[in-house]
Amino acid sequence: MFRLGSLTNYQDDHRQVTPPVRGTFIGVFLAYCMAVLFHRTDDDACPFAKDAEGAVLAVRSAGWVPPTRGCYAPSTPATTNAPSPGFLKVLFSLLQIKWRFSSPHLHFQFQTPSFSLLLGVLIVGLFNACTSKPTPFPTPSPEGFVEMEIPSDNPLTYEGVTLGRALFFDPILSLDSTISCASCHNPALAFTDGRAISNGIAGRTGQRSAPSLLNIGYHYKGVFWDGRSPSLEEQALHPLNDSLEMGNHWEIIQERLLLHPDYSKLFRLAFPDASMNKATTAKALAQFQRTLISTDSKFDRVQRGETQFTPQEQRGWTIFFDAGYPDVPMAECSHCHTDPLFTNLNFANNGLNESLSLDDFPDEGLGRISGNKFDNGKFRVPTLRNILLTAPYMHDGRLESIEEVIQHYNEGGLYAENLDPNVRPLHLSDKDQQDLIAFLQTLTDSSALTNPMYYPAKK
Amino acid sequence: MRQLFLLLLSASLVFSACDPDEEEARGSLDLTFKATYQDEPLVMFDQVYTYPDGSPLKFQLFNYYVSDITLIKDDNSEGVLLSEVELINYEEVYDNATAEQGIQLNFDDLEPGVYTGIKIGLGLTGELNATQPGDYAADHPLSQNFWSWARGYVFAKIEARADRDGDGQFSDPLTYHIGEDELFTTLTMSKPLIIQKDNPANMTFSVDVYDILSRDGNYLDISAQENTQDHTNNIAIYGWLWENLNNSFKLNN
């Protein structure tokens, strides 16, 4: 309001009078320059996603297919350089302003180029601010799954997921630029690394085995084997700083990201209202990980009525779920490995260590976090999806094969006072065990392993 | 200047129009669910109890669903639905103090008035039992305890370890998982209740787990393997336990 008053004075002072038409023209021209400079095209939005092969993924899943749009989809045709509708809108709005402001008592406003410029910049700036809002990415909601909880301050967006995907596969996050998240969470191995204990930078050995990240977005009771991290946003910063994993420091990471030709733009698009910082980096990684979904194993297809188990798989299913058919034993697995996630997200002692005192566990697991001795030796129940691809098994990779796992459970686990009562001698015959393994095999979801969206975008 | 004044005036009118109305007086009610074992507070892990056959016993889990909790009005109208479903879960009750507190549910924003009692469904109504975890958010009570192969929920779980040979190791696991449509029961309990502003009403319920495992001197002989476990396969076990749970469920005050 007071600005307008001072502009009136400006007009009274006839120092820089320019014909109205020229002033407007300059204004519009400058606005155009701004628009070209700052306005985003879909092409800009995805410097990481020019995957040319264009083959639309063979990912099929009645439950949830990662949605494709703009740059996120590997199959999008290249965008042209024609003025975007956004630019036309700016032009149009400026013309409208001119028309309106040409009324006798207002047209003075276009008489100075500096004011036109200001107005142009302002309008384009405002316009840009509005249009560069990230585009919402649909929440994964496969049939039969509980709703994924997404923090209200980190909604999924295409731009955020794109950024997170770039970061996830980028070794510059590690101190010596050799290790990315994907080094230990390899998509081809259901986001594990095939090792008992993960290796970090310079071959340093960690302490536990890398879990699969498929369906990790559903882990609302905390992540890690001991649940010590409450959210994916909080979790992402652990490996970056962990001296046994990526061994890096935020200052170094930030400097590298700033110097990188693409990240400034990716961050701006994903988080227009925030800067490139630890929080936004973590948020982007969390967003990408929430899109890692597996729902298309043979088990799922049988559930959906699209195919059938073989008799052996069917018998294994009965054993796994304790369906209690005559002459088919129960293996008690589904008390803890509950479908559809094949984990109830709880913590349990499944009998890996004999421990006459609760203080004797080599790794206390949940107990170290909760401070409750009855939680010692309890670990998060891991998913069994893609389990045949993720050997070796358990939090420290101590069991090499699925046969060893079944043998472990068949014997009833090793005694500790907090050994879960659902782990007990099962008396499974060799055939029962083979049938059970045949069922576990149906949990392999190859479409999740070949989904191009779960691999780095081609540059 | 006059325009500015008018603008401010109209703005203030707009904003004042948004002021919420005087809040109507509402009341609140606390429901407490206690679990005991031979009248002692039920604690997970940290307490040794005695199984009816004399074996030392330690619990790891006790939970059950209640559904359609409804306050009954004195005018015989429909009543006030307090909650569709709750999981009364003692899994994390690790000490006496917590056990004595019990599991508490608080209901605010209730219509003041005189009520004559409460209805509680033990287990899940047929309608709820026909749903599945996928229908709920991850932290909803019905996001867990689901038997996908039976397409229904486990209404109650008791898990414990016994030490039958008395060697100090609780090597004998007991797991009872109970649930099927036919088991759902509605209990109606009378208690005059005044819901009013600033004076929360309360009701306390209790279940004694010993009374679930034992009735009239009868109990499951856990030296026989088939009696140490039931997943709603053998009605002689799960039916009996469920009936005992129903009988044991009491309104204390």
Side-chain angles (χ1 to χ4, degrees):
Chain A
M1 236 162 280
F2 297 105
R3 274 283 165 78
L4 272 183
S6 60
L7 273 175
T8 314
N9 295 338
Y10 195 27
Q11 181 223 11
D12 288 344
D13 164 13
H14 285 263
R15 272 175 310 183
Q16 303 182 20
V17 180
T18 29
V21 183
R22 214 174 92 201
T24 311
F25 176 75
I26 294 174
V28 171
F29 176 72
L30 286 170
Y32 174 74
C33 296
M34 296 295 170
V36 169
L37 272 177
F38 294 119
H39 187 66
R40 140 193 159 210
T41 67
D42 269 358
D43 204 35
D44 284 336
C46 29
F48 276 97
K50 297 190 189 117
D51 312 36
E53 69 258 60
V56 178
L57 16 159
V59 187
R60 57 154 313 283
S61 152
W64 189 73
V65 187
T68 54
R69 175 206 145 267
C71 70
Y72 190 72
S75 53
T76 317
T79 38
T80 64
N81 270 338
S84 63
F87 165 68
L88 293 177
K89 236 169 156 181
V90 175
L91 201 76
F92 185 63
S93 56
L94 277 177
L95 288 176
Q96 272 197 327
I97 284 166
K98 183 188 176 294
W99 174 78
R100 250 203 268 135
F101 284 7
S102 295
S103 67
H105 44 287
L106 278 178
H107 87 266
F108 66 85
Q109 295 208 359
F110 270 79
Q111 288 187 354
T112 69
S114 53
F115 181 68
S116 304
L117 184 143
L118 212 78
L119 199 67
V121 170
L122 200 80
I123 290 169
V124 175
L126 271 178
F127 182 72
N128 247 314
C130 299
T131 53
S132 65
K133 248 200 157 140
T135 322
F137 187 103
T139 305
S141 54
E143 207 187 312
F145 279 41
V146 297
E147 276 169 45
M148 189 182 286
E149 286 186 1
I150 294 181
S152 57
D153 65 350
N154 192 22
L156 289 186
T157 65
Y158 285 92
E159 291 81 356
V161 172
T162 303
L163 170 60
R165 181 187 183 193
L167 292 167
F168 190 88
F169 291 100
D170 200 331
I172 70 169
L173 295 185
S174 66
L175 185 62
D176 59 4
S177 296
T178 57
I179 290 204
S180 71
C181 307
S183 308
C184 301
H185 302 288
N186 175 354
L189 294 174
F191 291 89
T192 67
D193 59 3
R195 296 168 186 277
I197 306 275
S198 294
N199 274 0
I201 51 164
R204 293 178 200 166
T205 316
Q207 279 150 349
R208 292 183 184 154
S209 180
S212 170
L213 300 184
L214 287 168
N215 299 334
I216 190 70
Y218 292 96
H219 284 226
Y220 77 100
K221 288 187 182 169
V223 291
F224 283 134
W225 283 103
D226 50 16
R228 69 186 179 280
S229 174
S231 68
L232 289 176
E233 280 78 4
E234 201 272 348
Q235 187 281 333
L237 301 172
H238 288 251
L240 298 178
N241 295 317
D242 188 326
S243 59
L244 300 177
E245 296 190 348
M246 302 167 100
N248 216 339
H249 309 280
W250 174 250
E251 292 69 29
I252 300 179
I253 297 171
Q254 185 167 32
E255 205 180 299
R256 287 191 197 157
L257 292 176
L258 281 169
L259 288 174
H260 192 281
D262 297 320
Y263 278 115
S264 299
K265 193 179 273 169
L266 285 173
F267 270 90
R268 202 178 60 239
L269 292 170
F271 302 103
D273 305 328
S275 59
M276 172 195 289
N277 57 31
K278 257 195 222 186
T280 45
T281 305
K283 281 183 176 179
L285 281 165
Q287 286 191 35
F288 172 62
Q289 293 178 84
R290 290 197 174 98
T291 69
L292 307 178
I293 303 290
S294 169
T295 63
D296 198 32
S297 62
K298 179 167 186 187
F299 167 80
D300 297 300
R301 291 197 299 272
V302 171
Q303 292 283 103
R304 297 195 292 260
E306 297 164 9
T307 185
Q308 285 183 332
F309 285 136
T310 64
Q312 186 183 27
E313 290 162 354
Q314 179 71 39
R315 193 163 177 281
W317 176 91
T318 311
I319 297 172
F320 185 92
F321 284 104
D322 298 356
Y325 296 172
D327 304 324
V328 184
M330 303 193 279
E332 317 283 337
C333 313
S334 68
H335 299 295
C336 303
H337 300 284
T338 316
D339 66 323
L341 295 175
F342 286 88
T343 161
N344 58 6
L345 302 181
N346 257 335
F347 298 83
N349 173 0
N350 67 341
L352 295 176
N353 294 290
E354 169 143 24
S355 202
L356 295 183
S357 146
L358 288 174
D359 301 323
D360 283 351
F361 290 97
D363 182 340
E364 288 110 349
L366 178 63
R368 193 180 334 151
I369 308 308
S370 71
N372 180 337
K373 71 175 170 179
F374 301 109
D375 289 338
N376 286 352
K378 286 193 188 176
F379 290 85
R380 212 258 325 286
V381 177
T383 179
L384 298 186
R385 283 182 174 269
N386 299 298
I387 194 66
L388 271 88
L389 302 169
T390 63
Y393 299 110
M394 305 301 167
H395 68 271
D396 51 6
R398 67 175 67 191
L399 301 180
E400 302 243 319
S401 66
I402 198 70
E403 287 77 12
E404 279 181 42
V405 173
I406 305 294
Q407 195 188 337
H408 161 81
Y409 284 112
N410 201 29
E411 286 163 6
L414 300 172
Y415 178 78
E417 193 187 309
N418 63 357
L419 170 62
D420 194 288
N422 293 296
V423 177
R424 46 165 73 206
L426 300 174
H427 314 288
L428 302 178
S429 68
D430 283 353
K431 175 174 168 21
D432 299 336
Q433 297 187 35
Q434 281 154 20
D435 294 354
L436 187 52
I437 293 171
F439 168 70
L440 293 175
Q441 183 95 56
T442 71
L443 301 179
T444 301
D445 175 2
S446 48
S447 68
L449 307 176
T450 52
N451 185 343
M453 244 77 91
Y454 297 169
Y455 286 83
K458 297 224 172 63
K459 262 211 165 192
Chain B
M1 210 52 216
R2 215 182 76 193
Q3 269 144 338
L4 179 69
F5 176 74
L6 280 177
L7 194 80
L8 287 177
L9 188 75
S10 53
S12 68
L13 278 176
V14 167
F15 284 114
S16 62
C18 296
D19 271 356
D21 292 331
E22 254 298 298
E23 231 182 81
E24 202 195 317
R26 306 293 278 178
S28 67
L29 169 68
D30 299 336
L31 300 184
T32 303
F33 294 82
K34 294 193 175 180
T36 53
Y37 193 92
Q38 293 188 301
D39 300 327
E40 295 294 317
L42 183 77
V43 169
M44 300 299 116
F45 293 104
D46 211 8
Q47 207 50 254
V48 182
Y49 303 97
T50 310
Y51 189 74
D53 72 357
S55 308
L57 187 68
K58 285 191 178 187
F59 283 91
Q60 291 198 14
L61 179 65
F62 174 51
N63 69 25
Y64 60 94
Y65 281 106
V66 288
S67 55
D68 275 2
I69 310 178
T70 310
L71 278 183
I72 309 167
K73 285 201 107 167
D74 58 354
D75 59 2
N76 283 330
S77 63
E78 268 215 348
V80 177
L81 181 70
L82 295 177
S83 169
E84 229 188 359
V85 58
E86 303 284 345
L87 178 64
I88 309 298
N89 189 359
Y90 298 90
E91 190 173 9
E92 288 176 18
V93 175
Y94 294 126
D95 55 57
N96 267 320
T98 318
E100 280 184 29
Q101 244 170 30
I103 308 287
Q104 288 182 333
L105 306 176
N106 308 87
F107 301 98
D108 294 328
D109 201 24
L110 300 178
E111 196 190 319
V114 181
Y115 297 84
T116 56
I118 195 164
K119 267 198 302 208
I120 291 194
L122 271 189
L124 298 177
T125 60
E127 209 175 299
L128 289 171
N129 203 27
T131 63
Q132 52 164 329
D135 301 333
Y136 303 99
D139 55 0
H140 188 275
L142 294 179
S143 69
Q144 48 181 322
N145 299 312
F146 187 68
W147 275 320
S148 65
W149 54 271
R151 307 217 58 78
Y153 286 86
V154 189
F155 292 0
K157 286 187 181 176
I158 300 174
E159 298 184 0
R161 303 188 73 89
D163 174 16
R164 280 195 312 109
D165 58 12
D167 68 352
Q169 290 193 19
F170 291 75
S171 325
D172 310 290
L174 304 177
T175 53
Y176 304 105
H177 297 175
I178 310 164
E180 67 181 10
D181 274 344
E182 293 70 46
L183 298 179
F184 176 73
T185 11
T186 302
L187 305 176
T188 304
M189 290 173 238
S190 306
K191 179 194 171 183
L193 203 66
I194 299 168
I195 302 288
Q196 54 191 329
K197 196 175 172 233
D198 298 331
N199 189 11
N202 66 77
M203 287 175 133
T204 302
F205 307 91
S206 70
V207 167
D208 193 274
V209 179
Y210 180 85
D211 294 340
I212 301 179
L213 299 175
S214 145
R215 187 206 309 175
D216 306 328
N218 296 322
Y219 55 86
L220 294 166
D221 173 8
I222 57 170
S223 66
Q225 180 66 22
E226 66 271 20
N227 287 338
T228 62
Q229 177 184 47
D230 191 81
H231 306 147
T232 311
N233 312 110
N234 181 353
I235 192 153
I237 297 180
Y238 74 85
W240 184 77
L241 291 171
W242 183 256
E243 229 177 84
N244 294 349
L245 171 60
N246 274 266
N247 294 339
S248 165
F249 190 90
K250 300 223 161 57
L251 173 61
N252 289 10
N253 65 353

